Amino acid sequence: MGVTAKIAPSMLSSDFSNLASEAARMLDYGADWLHMDIMDGHFVPNLTIGAPVIESLRKHTKAYLDCHLMVTNPLDYVEPMGKAGASGFTFHVEASKDNWQELVQKIKSKGMSPGVALKPGTPIEEVFPLVEADNPVDMVLVMTVEPGFGGQKFMPDTMDKVRTLRQKYPSLDIEVDGGLGPSTIAMAASAGANCIVAGSSVFGAPEPAHVISLLKNSVEEAQKNS
Ligand code: DX5
Ligand code: ZN
């Protein structure tokens, strides 16, 4: 049994003033997860949303809220995000060097699924201990752009990290985030990524449902041929 394809539109590209209807629209179009980008204006030079917005959205949807925390102190967010109804809690390895074990344990104790993300410049070896721990993360998010903003260009060099991970961990959920769309999905899918975040390529498309199904088919085909 291989890993399953999950397509996660990044709500950073949505109309934040209509978040509930934007979320419902994406789920209607076939989205598996909703990707929520939490930025603190410190770990990255941009400020977005936090637990209060997740809590508001949770009242309108039962969807899996795949939360990506681009924050300097992820530990401070575990309790509020758990209470707000986050499903996945993905923290950055660069921000958790000293406390990832405590973080993973707390995330699980709040009923969320832990993931670890790494920036393009961070070596893949840094996440191995988190995947191999007695209490491991469930997912690795390989950033395919510098975190902070939607609409950037996909960095193909990051695919070596995805290949390394997939070879080492055949059943791990591997997520890619940044610059994914119809023209880049083949690279990510053949490297072994199965969770695909896509913001501008989905929200900017005349028919987002087509883009979502194209992304999903690409991952499923690549999985079959692997
Ligand atoms: C960037 C965020 C992404 C972003 C992706 O820091 O983590 O989730 O929204 O947007 P696109 O798909 O437009 O690159
Ligand atoms: Zn993200």
Side-chain angles (χ1 to χ4, degrees):
M1 262 286 282
V3 289
T4 58
K6 306 277 182 210
I7 308 304
S10 172
M11 301 310 288
L12 185 59
S13 290
S14 75
D15 174 1
F16 271 148
S17 66
N18 290 303
L19 192 52
S21 63
E22 290 283 78
R25 184 164 77 96
M26 289 300 136
L27 296 164
D28 276 353
Y29 291 156
D32 298 287
W33 289 354
L34 300 174
H35 185 79
M36 309 301 296
D37 287 301
I38 317 297
M39 305 186 191
D40 66 355
H42 187 264
F43 182 75
V44 288
N46 194 8
L47 183 67
T48 55
I49 59 165
V53 174
I54 300 297
E55 189 180 347
S56 295
L57 180 59
R58 177 50 83 210
K59 293 184 180 132
H60 298 272
T61 182
K62 292 189 166 65
Y64 187 95
L65 301 178
D66 173 37
C67 300
H68 174 196
L69 286 102
M70 287 157 274
V71 302
T72 300
N73 295 310
L75 202 51
D76 295 347
Y77 291 71
V78 176
E79 185 153 350
M81 290 294 287
K83 275 199 186 133
S87 311
F89 185 112
T90 298
F91 57 87
H92 268 263
V93 70
E94 302 87 1
S96 59
K97 289 214 160 68
D98 305 324
N99 62 358
W100 61 264
Q101 277 141 322
E102 184 187 1
L103 251 174
V104 169
Q105 186 263 318
K106 287 212 165 131
I107 292 166
K108 289 187 181 176
S109 78
K110 300 290 169 199
M112 297 178 288
S113 173
V116 65
L118 72 169
K119 295 198 216 179
T122 302
I124 193 63
E125 292 74 21
E126 294 198 13
V127 304
F128 294 168
L130 288 77
V131 180
E132 293 172 17
D134 290 338
N135 199 14
V137 291
D138 294 336
M139 183 174 84
V140 175
L141 192 181
V142 176
M143 286 303 300
T144 46
V145 299
E146 287 299 339
F149 301 92
Q152 304 182 77
K153 203 167 171 287
F154 178 80
M155 298 166 71
D157 289 2
T158 56
M159 291 301 98
D160 285 344
K161 294 192 213 177
V162 174
R163 268 187 291 273
T164 301
L165 277 181
R166 180 54 73 218
Q167 239 165 19
K168 223 168 140 59
Y169 311 114
S171 60
L172 177 69
D173 275 331
I174 303 176
E175 185 169 67
V176 283
D177 183 7
L180 271 307
S183 61
T184 51
I185 186 62
M187 284 184 269
S190 64
N194 66 299
C195 304
I196 312 295
V197 177
S200 44
S201 71
V202 168
F203 283 92
E207 295 193 66
H210 284 182
V211 177
I212 291 173
S213 76
L214 183 152
L215 297 175
K216 195 152 179 171
N217 290 338
S218 301
V219 173
E220 284 170 354
E221 281 306 308
Q223 292 286 328
K224 266 188 227 158
N225 300 329
S226 67

